[in-house]
Amino acid sequence: MEHIDTDLLVVGSGAGGLSTAVTARRAGLDVIVAEKEPVFGGTTAFSGGVLWIPGNRHGRANNPGDTREAARTYLRNETGAWFDAAAADAFLEAAPAAVDWFERETAVKFVPTLYPDYHPTVGGGVDIGRSILAAPFDIRGLGADMARLRPPLQTITFIGMMFNSSNADLKHFFNATKSLTSFIYVAKRLATHLKELALYGKGIQVTSGNALAARLAKSALDAGVPIWTGSPVLRLVQQAGRVVGAVVQREGREVEVRARSGVVLACGGFPHDAQRIARAYPHLKSGGEHVSPVPTGNTGDGIALAESVGGQFDLRFPSASAWMPVSKVPLGKKGADGSTGVFPHLLDRYKPGVIGVLRNGQRFCNESESYHDVGAAMIEACRGEAETAAWLVCDAAALAKYGLGYVRPAPVPHGRFLRNGYLMKGATLAELAQACGIDAAGLERTVREYNVGAEQGQDPAFGRGTTPFNRYLADPAHRPNPCVAPIRSGPYYAVKLVMGDLGTFDGLRTSTVGEVLSTQGAAIPGLYAVGNDRASMMGGNYPGAGITLGPNLVFGWLLGRHLAGLAGKAGTAGQDATATQEHRRAA
Ligand SMILES: Cc1cc2nc3c(=O)[nH]c(=O)nc-3n(C[C@H](O)[C@H](O)[C@H](O)COP(=O)(O)OP(=O)(O)OC[C@H]3O[C@@H](n4cnc5c(N)ncnc54)[C@H](O)[C@@H]3O)c2cc1C
């Protein structure tokens, strides 16, 4: 078997793997990234690209009063029994410096967002300042490698064009038919995108998680880190108890990569490991279904690799994954080819006049809470039932104004979604209920009762609109409560929700810096984990926008520096340009 020597082998090219690789390389280590899929970027490239990083310089400008102590209090309140003081302190201390380092030393750049924490009224929570967003990126900066960047998740693009998850884009797209400024903004965005499609066959100005993945990959490639795509890591190589490398399948052959500093597992958790999720997800245990928008290559390989050398994985958090209510979108022409897209419900639930009901027709939660909270409520409400499902229901006026799921607002036509069964319709609520298989009397009663408070902009049952986060993604122009409006005259519409996820929370047990721990609790020499392969410091909770990517980037940075330090390499910024060139040639 062919052998290749390097310092560090990183397995997986999402935010966790690439941030570790870039940092370690810039500190002087030779690094190879092996990526199983033909494209790099992982779930990170599908994501909203929002990172929860308290104390970051962008957020400080918007909220100078925020403190590290407040963020720590918030984390303690949010994670409860799972509060990991060592991880929280390491994260909070390193986070601002990591952001500064990436922005100063690499192609990774951020912009501020206006996101409140998801539970801003909890002690230590803030209304603004902790979540930042990857700055948009022109992927021509990747040169020929732009063909290897994972394209965005199809269901959250419009004719292939990405929206920024937290800026003017969404506001203008919703207002395009009501405001001339928005119309001109949208027309310009569409014209640029259509030109890019004609010239390159895809969008070139990428945003959100696609921009984050592209920026990290550019930083890695520029520093001389080869990203081997189509190269799954098959097994670890151990010598005298130390992980000294791994066998990688590359161009049809097996190659042994010997890594002096060790192997970093960054395979993005286990969202598509059928056996593991069958053990972990309550709704699967009761016979229901789970549909994940995460790339299908995230099959828990990192966890299995660690287990093969005695690493400890356990299911212990209250929620094994970050829950995301999703709908299944028939994508082929009239759905004929049977292909289905997964649509994550990131925006519609917050809007006034849209409610969520169960099969019995009853509401079950505050629909304007985060996807994770709504998902957890849905799992709880359906416990013991064969199916974990809910329906988002609205009237014709709300559908035209906000769209519903994959159905866009007017004037984008929605007829094909009625024909392919994605969007259900009824002239009356009873008719809609019958079409969906919902209890008709239950739905009529729910809407009648909901409307009483909604006429006054109130939701006495669940308190929609009572926190800044509830209101953040609602309709600011709708008064008095941007999250609450009555459901008035028919026809009525519904889209069915089932359970999905954004990534797994449970994972490998590690030390704070990322050493994989054995079932006896000792560090396995030479083996490390970052990103969703390591158990989340949030303990199965979801405190704010970007709570997976934020820690993934920061712990990647910490681990990269730690490994370089162990190898006696000091520099992070003082990388010799000649050495970089030589390394690139060798790679
Ligand atoms: C639609 C959507 C929106 C989201 N938005 C946000 C957001 O805004 N903020 C946030 O914090 N989180 C968000 N998330 C979650 C976030 O994207 C993930 O938690 C994060 O990207 C995981 O990063 P990672 O580096 O651990 O894994 P990934 O980015 O998934 O990368 C793992 C890589 O490892 C590769 N791999 C797997 N097995 C092997 C193997 N054997 N050999 C080699 N390579 C292998 C995979 O192919 C993959 O490319 C979102 C998720 C989705 C689906």
Side-chain angles (χ1 to χ4, degrees), residues 11-61:
V11 193
S13 66
L18 289 180
S19 59
T20 311
V22 171
T23 313
R25 174 67 200 131
R26 294 299 303 272
L29 295 186
D30 282 351
V31 185
I32 291 172
V33 173
E35 165 57 54
K36 166 186 195 174
E37 300 274 322
V39 286
F40 52 72
T43 322
T44 306
F46 273 2
S47 76
V50 179
L51 296 86
W52 193 77
I53 302 212
N56 73 80
R57 71 181 181 93
H58 302 282
R60 282 202 305 274

Short mmCIF file of all heavy atoms in Angstrom, two decimals, residues 11-61:
data_model
loop_
_atom_site.label_atom_id
_atom_site.label_comp_id
_atom_site.label_asym_id
_atom_site.label_seq_id
_atom_site.Cartn_x
_atom_site.Cartn_y
_atom_site.Cartn_z
N VAL A 11 -10.22 14.52 8.97
CA VAL A 11 -11.21 13.71 8.27
C VAL A 11 -12.52 14.48 8.19
O VAL A 11 -13.27 14.57 9.16
CB VAL A 11 -11.44 12.36 9.00
CG1 VAL A 11 -12.22 11.41 8.11
CG2 VAL A 11 -10.12 11.75 9.43
N GLY A 12 -12.81 15.06 7.02
CA GLY A 12 -14.04 15.82 6.85
C GLY A 12 -13.76 17.29 6.59
O GLY A 12 -12.84 17.88 7.19
N SER A 13 -14.53 17.89 5.68
CA SER A 13 -14.22 19.26 5.22
C SER A 13 -15.33 20.25 5.53
O SER A 13 -15.59 21.16 4.74
CB SER A 13 -13.94 19.24 3.72
OG SER A 13 -15.13 18.88 3.03
N GLY A 14 -16.04 20.08 6.66
CA GLY A 14 -16.99 21.10 7.10
C GLY A 14 -16.27 22.14 7.95
O GLY A 14 -15.03 22.23 7.95
N ALA A 15 -17.05 22.92 8.69
CA ALA A 15 -16.47 24.01 9.49
C ALA A 15 -15.50 23.47 10.54
O ALA A 15 -14.45 24.06 10.79
CB ALA A 15 -17.58 24.81 10.16
N GLY A 16 -15.86 22.33 11.17
CA GLY A 16 -14.99 21.77 12.20
C GLY A 16 -13.64 21.38 11.63
O GLY A 16 -12.58 21.78 12.13
N GLY A 17 -13.66 20.59 10.55
CA GLY A 17 -12.41 20.09 9.96
C GLY A 17 -11.57 21.20 9.37
O GLY A 17 -10.36 21.29 9.62
N LEU A 18 -12.22 22.07 8.59
CA LEU A 18 -11.42 23.09 7.89
C LEU A 18 -10.86 24.14 8.84
O LEU A 18 -9.74 24.62 8.64
CB LEU A 18 -12.26 23.76 6.78
CG LEU A 18 -12.55 22.87 5.56
CD1 LEU A 18 -13.38 23.62 4.53
CD2 LEU A 18 -11.26 22.34 4.92
N SER A 19 -11.60 24.48 9.89
CA SER A 19 -11.04 25.48 10.82
C SER A 19 -9.83 24.89 11.54
O SER A 19 -8.82 25.58 11.75
CB SER A 19 -12.09 25.98 11.81
OG SER A 19 -12.62 24.91 12.55
N THR A 20 -9.88 23.61 11.89
CA THR A 20 -8.73 22.96 12.51
C THR A 20 -7.55 22.93 11.53
O THR A 20 -6.40 23.25 11.89
CB THR A 20 -9.06 21.51 12.91
OG1 THR A 20 -10.29 21.49 13.61
CG2 THR A 20 -7.97 20.89 13.77
N ALA A 21 -7.86 22.54 10.29
CA ALA A 21 -6.80 22.39 9.29
C ALA A 21 -6.10 23.72 9.01
O ALA A 21 -4.86 23.78 8.96
CB ALA A 21 -7.40 21.83 7.99
N VAL A 22 -6.89 24.76 8.82
CA VAL A 22 -6.31 26.07 8.50
C VAL A 22 -5.43 26.55 9.66
O VAL A 22 -4.29 27.01 9.46
CB VAL A 22 -7.43 27.11 8.25
CG1 VAL A 22 -6.85 28.52 8.13
CG2 VAL A 22 -8.21 26.76 6.99
N THR A 23 -5.95 26.43 10.88
CA THR A 23 -5.20 26.92 12.03
C THR A 23 -3.90 26.14 12.21
O THR A 23 -2.83 26.72 12.42
CB THR A 23 -6.05 26.81 13.32
OG1 THR A 23 -7.35 27.33 13.07
CG2 THR A 23 -5.43 27.56 14.47
N ALA A 24 -3.99 24.81 12.12
CA ALA A 24 -2.79 23.99 12.31
C ALA A 24 -1.76 24.29 11.21
O ALA A 24 -0.55 24.40 11.48
CB ALA A 24 -3.17 22.51 12.30
N ARG A 25 -2.24 24.42 9.99
CA ARG A 25 -1.32 24.70 8.88
C ARG A 25 -0.64 26.04 9.06
O ARG A 25 0.57 26.19 8.87
CB ARG A 25 -2.10 24.64 7.55
CG ARG A 25 -1.28 25.04 6.34
CD ARG A 25 -0.17 24.03 6.06
NE ARG A 25 0.89 24.62 5.24
CZ ARG A 25 2.17 24.54 5.51
NH1 ARG A 25 2.61 23.91 6.59
NH2 ARG A 25 3.05 25.07 4.70
N ARG A 26 -1.43 27.06 9.43
CA ARG A 26 -0.84 28.39 9.58
C ARG A 26 0.13 28.44 10.76
O ARG A 26 0.98 29.32 10.82
CB ARG A 26 -1.95 29.45 9.74
CG ARG A 26 -2.81 29.61 8.49
CD ARG A 26 -2.01 30.04 7.27
NE ARG A 26 -1.30 31.27 7.52
CZ ARG A 26 -1.78 32.49 7.34
NH1 ARG A 26 -2.98 32.64 6.85
NH2 ARG A 26 -1.06 33.55 7.61
N ALA A 27 -0.02 27.48 11.67
CA ALA A 27 0.94 27.42 12.78
C ALA A 27 2.16 26.58 12.42
O ALA A 27 3.07 26.44 13.24
CB ALA A 27 0.25 26.84 14.02
N GLY A 28 2.15 25.99 11.24
CA GLY A 28 3.37 25.32 10.80
C GLY A 28 3.28 23.83 10.57
O GLY A 28 4.26 23.20 10.17
N LEU A 29 2.11 23.22 10.80
CA LEU A 29 2.00 21.77 10.57
C LEU A 29 1.67 21.49 9.11
O LEU A 29 0.97 22.27 8.46
CB LEU A 29 0.89 21.17 11.44
CG LEU A 29 1.07 21.20 12.96
CD1 LEU A 29 -0.06 20.43 13.64
CD2 LEU A 29 2.40 20.59 13.36
N ASP A 30 2.13 20.34 8.61
CA ASP A 30 1.67 19.84 7.32
C ASP A 30 0.33 19.16 7.55
O ASP A 30 0.22 18.32 8.45
CB ASP A 30 2.65 18.79 6.77
CG ASP A 30 3.87 19.45 6.16
OD1 ASP A 30 3.86 20.70 6.03
OD2 ASP A 30 4.82 18.73 5.84
N VAL A 31 -0.66 19.51 6.74
CA VAL A 31 -2.02 19.01 6.98
C VAL A 31 -2.61 18.48 5.68
O VAL A 31 -2.43 19.09 4.63
CB VAL A 31 -2.93 20.13 7.53
CG1 VAL A 31 -4.31 19.58 7.88
CG2 VAL A 31 -2.31 20.83 8.74
N ILE A 32 -3.31 17.37 5.78
CA ILE A 32 -4.12 16.87 4.66
C ILE A 32 -5.56 16.76 5.15
O ILE A 32 -5.81 16.27 6.26
CB ILE A 32 -3.63 15.48 4.19
CG1 ILE A 32 -2.25 15.60 3.53
CG2 ILE A 32 -4.63 14.85 3.22
CD1 ILE A 32 -1.60 14.25 3.20
N VAL A 33 -6.50 17.23 4.32
CA VAL A 33 -7.92 17.03 4.63
C VAL A 33 -8.45 15.96 3.68
O VAL A 33 -8.31 16.09 2.45
CB VAL A 33 -8.73 18.33 4.45
CG1 VAL A 33 -10.23 18.07 4.62
CG2 VAL A 33 -8.27 19.40 5.45
N ALA A 34 -9.04 14.90 4.23
CA ALA A 34 -9.66 13.87 3.39
C ALA A 34 -11.17 14.02 3.50
O ALA A 34 -11.72 14.08 4.60
CB ALA A 34 -9.24 12.47 3.87
N GLU A 35 -11.82 14.12 2.38
CA GLU A 35 -13.28 14.31 2.33
C GLU A 35 -13.90 13.18 1.50
O GLU A 35 -13.51 12.95 0.37
CB GLU A 35 -13.60 15.69 1.73
CG GLU A 35 -15.04 15.89 1.29
CD GLU A 35 -16.07 15.68 2.40
OE1 GLU A 35 -15.94 16.31 3.46
OE2 GLU A 35 -17.00 14.84 2.21
N LYS A 36 -14.86 12.53 2.10
CA LYS A 36 -15.51 11.37 1.48
C LYS A 36 -16.28 11.71 0.20
O LYS A 36 -16.27 10.97 -0.78
CB LYS A 36 -16.46 10.87 2.56
CG LYS A 36 -17.51 9.90 2.21
CD LYS A 36 -18.36 9.73 3.49
CE LYS A 36 -19.24 8.54 3.42
NZ LYS A 36 -19.95 8.30 4.68
N GLU A 37 -16.95 12.85 0.19
CA GLU A 37 -17.83 13.21 -0.93
C GLU A 37 -17.03 13.83 -2.07
O GLU A 37 -15.92 14.33 -1.84
CB GLU A 37 -18.87 14.22 -0.44
CG GLU A 37 -19.75 13.72 0.68
CD GLU A 37 -20.96 12.95 0.17
OE1 GLU A 37 -21.52 13.34 -0.86
OE2 GLU A 37 -21.32 11.96 0.81
N PRO A 38 -17.60 13.85 -3.27
CA PRO A 38 -16.89 14.51 -4.38
C PRO A 38 -16.80 16.02 -4.22
O PRO A 38 -16.08 16.69 -4.96
CB PRO A 38 -17.72 14.14 -5.61
CG PRO A 38 -18.99 13.59 -5.12
CD PRO A 38 -18.84 13.20 -3.69
N VAL A 39 -17.55 16.57 -3.27
CA VAL A 39 -17.53 18.02 -3.02
C VAL A 39 -17.11 18.28 -1.58
O VAL A 39 -17.33 17.44 -0.71
CB VAL A 39 -18.92 18.65 -3.27
CG1 VAL A 39 -19.23 18.73 -4.75
CG2 VAL A 39 -20.02 17.86 -2.54
N PHE A 40 -16.52 19.46 -1.32
CA PHE A 40 -16.16 19.79 0.06
C PHE A 40 -17.18 20.77 0.66
O PHE A 40 -17.92 21.42 -0.07
CB PHE A 40 -14.74 20.34 0.17
CG PHE A 40 -14.38 21.48 -0.76
CD1 PHE A 40 -14.89 22.75 -0.54
CD2 PHE A 40 -13.52 21.29 -1.83
CE1 PHE A 40 -14.57 23.81 -1.38
CE2 PHE A 40 -13.18 22.35 -2.69
CZ PHE A 40 -13.71 23.61 -2.46
N GLY A 41 -17.20 20.83 1.98
CA GLY A 41 -18.07 21.81 2.65
C GLY A 41 -19.10 21.20 3.59
O GLY A 41 -19.57 21.87 4.51
N GLY A 42 -19.48 19.93 3.35
CA GLY A 42 -20.38 19.24 4.27
C GLY A 42 -21.68 19.98 4.54
O GLY A 42 -22.16 20.76 3.70
N THR A 43 -22.25 19.73 5.72
CA THR A 43 -23.49 20.41 6.12
C THR A 43 -23.25 21.91 6.19
O THR A 43 -24.17 22.72 5.98
CB THR A 43 -23.93 19.93 7.53
OG1 THR A 43 -23.68 18.54 7.66
CG2 THR A 43 -25.39 20.21 7.76
N THR A 44 -22.02 22.27 6.52
CA THR A 44 -21.68 23.69 6.64
C THR A 44 -22.08 24.45 5.37
O THR A 44 -22.60 25.56 5.45
CB THR A 44 -20.16 23.81 6.90
OG1 THR A 44 -19.84 23.00 8.04
CG2 THR A 44 -19.74 25.24 7.14
N ALA A 45 -21.88 23.83 4.21
CA ALA A 45 -22.19 24.50 2.94
C ALA A 45 -23.70 24.61 2.71
O ALA A 45 -24.14 25.39 1.87
CB ALA A 45 -21.53 23.75 1.79
N PHE A 46 -24.49 23.81 3.41
CA PHE A 46 -25.96 23.87 3.31
C PHE A 46 -26.55 24.88 4.30
O PHE A 46 -27.72 25.21 4.23
CB PHE A 46 -26.57 22.51 3.67
CG PHE A 46 -26.68 21.53 2.53
CD1 PHE A 46 -26.23 21.85 1.26
CD2 PHE A 46 -27.26 20.29 2.74
CE1 PHE A 46 -26.34 20.94 0.22
CE2 PHE A 46 -27.38 19.37 1.71
CZ PHE A 46 -26.92 19.69 0.45
N SER A 47 -25.71 25.30 5.26
CA SER A 47 -26.27 25.95 6.45
C SER A 47 -26.57 27.44 6.23
O SER A 47 -26.25 28.01 5.19
CB SER A 47 -25.28 25.81 7.61
OG SER A 47 -24.21 26.71 7.45
N GLY A 48 -27.15 28.03 7.28
CA GLY A 48 -27.40 29.46 7.27
C GLY A 48 -26.13 30.27 7.48
O GLY A 48 -26.14 31.50 7.32
N GLY A 49 -25.04 29.61 7.87
CA GLY A 49 -23.77 30.32 8.03
C GLY A 49 -23.76 31.29 9.20
O GLY A 49 -22.95 32.22 9.23
N VAL A 50 -24.64 31.06 10.19
CA VAL A 50 -24.68 31.93 11.37
C VAL A 50 -23.89 31.26 12.49
O VAL A 50 -24.01 30.05 12.70
CB VAL A 50 -26.14 32.19 11.82
CG1 VAL A 50 -26.16 33.07 13.07
CG2 VAL A 50 -26.94 32.83 10.70
N LEU A 51 -23.06 32.05 13.17
CA LEU A 51 -22.21 31.51 14.26
C LEU A 51 -22.50 32.26 15.55
O LEU A 51 -22.48 33.51 15.57
CB LEU A 51 -20.73 31.66 13.93
CG LEU A 51 -20.20 30.88 12.72
CD1 LEU A 51 -20.40 31.68 11.44
CD2 LEU A 51 -18.73 30.56 12.88
N TRP A 52 -22.77 31.52 16.61
CA TRP A 52 -22.99 32.14 17.93
C TRP A 52 -21.64 32.27 18.62
O TRP A 52 -21.04 31.28 19.03
CB TRP A 52 -23.94 31.24 18.74
CG TRP A 52 -24.51 31.89 19.97
CD1 TRP A 52 -25.52 32.81 20.02
CD2 TRP A 52 -24.15 31.64 21.34
NE1 TRP A 52 -25.80 33.14 21.32
CE2 TRP A 52 -24.97 32.45 22.15
CE3 TRP A 52 -23.20 30.83 21.95
CZ2 TRP A 52 -24.89 32.45 23.54
CZ3 TRP A 52 -23.10 30.83 23.34
CH2 TRP A 52 -23.94 31.64 24.11
N ILE A 53 -21.16 33.52 18.68
CA ILE A 53 -19.81 33.76 19.20
C ILE A 53 -19.86 34.97 20.13
O ILE A 53 -19.61 36.11 19.69
CB ILE A 53 -18.80 33.95 18.04
CG1 ILE A 53 -18.83 32.73 17.14
CG2 ILE A 53 -17.42 34.29 18.56
CD1 ILE A 53 -17.54 32.36 16.45
N PRO A 54 -20.24 34.78 21.40
CA PRO A 54 -20.34 35.91 22.32
C PRO A 54 -19.02 36.67 22.39
O PRO A 54 -17.94 36.07 22.35
CB PRO A 54 -20.66 35.26 23.67
CG PRO A 54 -21.28 33.95 23.31
CD PRO A 54 -20.60 33.51 22.05
N GLY A 55 -19.11 37.99 22.48
CA GLY A 55 -17.91 38.82 22.63
C GLY A 55 -17.22 39.13 21.32
O GLY A 55 -16.19 39.80 21.31
N ASN A 56 -17.78 38.67 20.18
CA ASN A 56 -17.12 38.94 18.90
C ASN A 56 -17.16 40.45 18.62
O ASN A 56 -18.05 41.16 19.07
CB ASN A 56 -17.81 38.16 17.78
CG ASN A 56 -19.17 38.75 17.42
OD1 ASN A 56 -19.25 39.73 16.70
ND2 ASN A 56 -20.24 38.17 17.97
N ARG A 57 -16.21 40.91 17.81
CA ARG A 57 -16.04 42.37 17.66
C ARG A 57 -17.24 43.01 16.94
O ARG A 57 -17.59 44.15 17.21
CB ARG A 57 -14.73 42.69 16.94
CG ARG A 57 -14.70 42.35 15.48
CD ARG A 57 -13.37 42.66 14.82
NE ARG A 57 -13.46 42.32 13.41
CZ ARG A 57 -13.80 43.19 12.48
NH1 ARG A 57 -14.06 44.43 12.77
NH2 ARG A 57 -13.89 42.80 11.21
N HIS A 58 -17.90 42.28 16.05
CA HIS A 58 -19.07 42.85 15.35
C HIS A 58 -20.22 43.06 16.34
O HIS A 58 -20.89 44.07 16.32
CB HIS A 58 -19.54 41.91 14.24
CG HIS A 58 -18.48 41.62 13.24
ND1 HIS A 58 -18.13 42.51 12.25
CD2 HIS A 58 -17.67 40.54 13.07
CE1 HIS A 58 -17.16 41.99 11.52
NE2 HIS A 58 -16.87 40.79 12.00
N GLY A 59 -20.41 42.06 17.18
CA GLY A 59 -21.51 42.12 18.14
C GLY A 59 -21.26 43.18 19.20
O GLY A 59 -22.19 43.83 19.66
N ARG A 60 -19.98 43.35 19.57
CA ARG A 60 -19.66 44.35 20.61
C ARG A 60 -20.10 45.74 20.16
O ARG A 60 -20.56 46.54 20.96
CB ARG A 60 -18.16 44.35 20.92
CG ARG A 60 -17.72 43.19 21.81
CD ARG A 60 -16.40 43.51 22.51
NE ARG A 60 -15.32 43.88 21.61
CZ ARG A 60 -14.51 43.04 21.00
NH1 ARG A 60 -14.64 41.73 21.19
NH2 ARG A 60 -13.53 43.47 20.20
N ALA A 61 -19.99 45.99 18.86
CA ALA A 61 -20.40 47.31 18.36
C ALA A 61 -21.91 47.50 18.53
O ALA A 61 -22.38 48.60 18.82
CB ALA A 61 -20.01 47.44 16.88
#
